[in-house]
Amino acid sequence: MPTPPLTALPIRRLTHRDLTACADLSEDRGWPREEHKWGLLLSAGQGYGIDDPDGGLVSACVVTEYGPHGSPTLGAIGMVLVAERHARQGIGRRLMRHIVALMGTTPLSLHATPNGRPLYEELGFKTTGRAEMMRGHFTPGEPTSGIATRAATARDLTSILRLDEEVFGTDRTHVITRLPAFGDQLRVAEDEGRIIGYAAAWPNMDTQVVGPLIARDTETAKALLASLAAHTDRPLRTDIDVRHEELLAWVKAHGLEPVAFNSVMTYGITELPGDWHRRFAPLTVAAG
């Protein structure tokens, strides 16, 4: 029986059993394997992929839905990958068209690399912002803000979830409640006993990724980021909304260097929900 063309191969749901194949696909495209991140995305979101008849995956992506269960108000698309040997054959376009159709009227968002952006524009996504990836060893300076930060406890979770929904613009309880197990650190900033920001740092290869980073203002964001840096000897990596010019200048002055820019793109909405003034960095660009 002849092998069907790749564009005719079925798209199926991915599960945790596909984690290694997803990591292999990342590695095939020159990305880090990121098994820890894939594990979160396949648990909190829904993966879709195409099997290669010769083994492994031809293509994969993950959609993380936010809002009420069964009627999401936002879907974040990430980890859109096509194996190098099957690139430029329309497979990524087919997978993305499948996802867009599957999500129906649910607004969508994604972070696009310069290489991926033309495909998403072709599918109707619009660029609504940019994020700058920063990486490096944080060099502390003199503390000036006086903002109190501490490790989060289980009792803080309700307040964190309330703040997160207010700032992110929709409920993502199923993701945020995974942070204590997923991350190495989860810290909060307080003002007179009230939580005014929180941030996590989670392991990714040889770095600690800072995200989410949600804070009342730039000084609070600085305090949280510095407190995370003080509790690790790994380089930090984070993706900061370019509108937060003061924070970007500050992290550059403290040892982090720009690595890349990603375009923030949306479909079905003109901009992301929530309050960008308090949303400094995503959990991961793959999940918003």
Side-chain angles (χ1 to χ4, degrees):
M1 181 179 296
T3 302
L6 292 174
T7 51
L9 293 173
I11 297 170
R12 69 170 177 89
R13 300 274 289 260
L14 301 177
T15 72
H16 249 272
R17 292 189 297 272
D18 298 298
L19 193 152
T20 299
C22 290
D24 289 344
L25 186 59
S26 290
E27 197 169 54
D28 174 77
R29 291 315 304 254
W31 291 16
R33 291 184 62 83
E34 299 186 306
E35 291 179 349
H36 187 60
K37 183 169 78 174
W38 273 112
L40 173 73
L41 295 171
L42 291 172
S43 297
Q46 181 56 65
Y48 297 89
I50 300 172
D51 289 312
D52 190 329
D54 296 325
L57 290 168
V58 170
S59 183
C61 75
V62 179
V63 182
T64 308
E65 297 181 359
Y66 299 114
H69 181 69
S71 55
T73 55
L74 181 69
I77 300 173
M79 307 303 280
V80 181
L81 287 163
V82 177
E84 177 65 35
R85 62 194 178 280
H86 301 307
R88 295 169 292 279
Q89 297 180 42
I91 296 165
R93 182 179 293 101
R94 177 179 169 231
L95 183 58
M96 281 297 300
R97 287 190 187 281
H98 176 83
I99 298 302
V100 170
L102 196 66
M103 296 300 290
T105 58
T106 302
L108 303 173
S109 70
L110 55 80
H111 283 67
T113 64
N115 287 339
R117 181 174 163 180
L119 167 61
Y120 304 130
E121 288 177 337
E122 179 187 323
L123 295 172
F125 284 79
K126 306 293 185 186
T127 298
T128 56
R130 287 206 308 167
E132 187 169 12
M133 182 187 293
M134 306 297 301
R135 186 187 188 282
H137 282 283
F138 183 87
T139 54
E142 289 297 319
T144 56
S145 68
I147 294 170
T149 66
R150 59 170 174 81
T153 69
R155 287 178 295 183
D156 296 320
L157 189 56
T158 299
S159 296
I160 289 172
L161 289 170
R162 187 183 304 119
L163 176 63
D164 186 82
E165 182 171 357
E166 182 182 320
V167 174
F168 190 74
T170 188
D171 177 62
R172 52 176 179 173
T173 297
H174 66 300
V175 174
I176 302 305
T177 51
R178 287 175 161 88
L179 283 179
F182 176 70
D184 289 335
Q185 300 185 61
L186 180 60
R187 300 187 67 83
V188 296
E190 286 184 311
D191 182 10
E192 298 183 349
R194 183 172 64 92
I195 291 176
I196 57 172
Y198 85 94
W202 47 274
N204 188 266
M205 312 308 289
D206 64 336
T207 66
Q208 286 224 308
V209 177
V210 174
L213 175 54
I214 282 178
R216 178 179 64 184
D217 50 34
T218 302
E219 291 305 310
T220 305
K222 290 177 183 178
L224 282 165
L225 205 152
S227 69
L228 292 171
H231 291 83
T232 182
D233 56 3
R234 291 187 180 191
L236 299 182
R237 202 187 87 201
T238 190
D239 295 86
I240 297 174
D241 187 318
V242 297
R243 291 173 290 189
H244 292 296
E245 296 177 0
E246 184 182 347
L247 183 64
L248 278 168
W250 181 79
V251 297
K252 290 173 184 176
H254 285 77
L256 274 65
E257 297 181 351
V259 177
F261 284 99
N262 284 321
S263 298
V264 181
M265 307 187 77
T266 57
Y267 180 94
I269 46 174
T270 55
E271 60 183 327
L272 291 173
D275 180 6
W276 74 265
H277 295 89
R278 292 182 287 166
R279 187 177 57 230
F280 289 84
L283 166 60
T284 163
V285 296

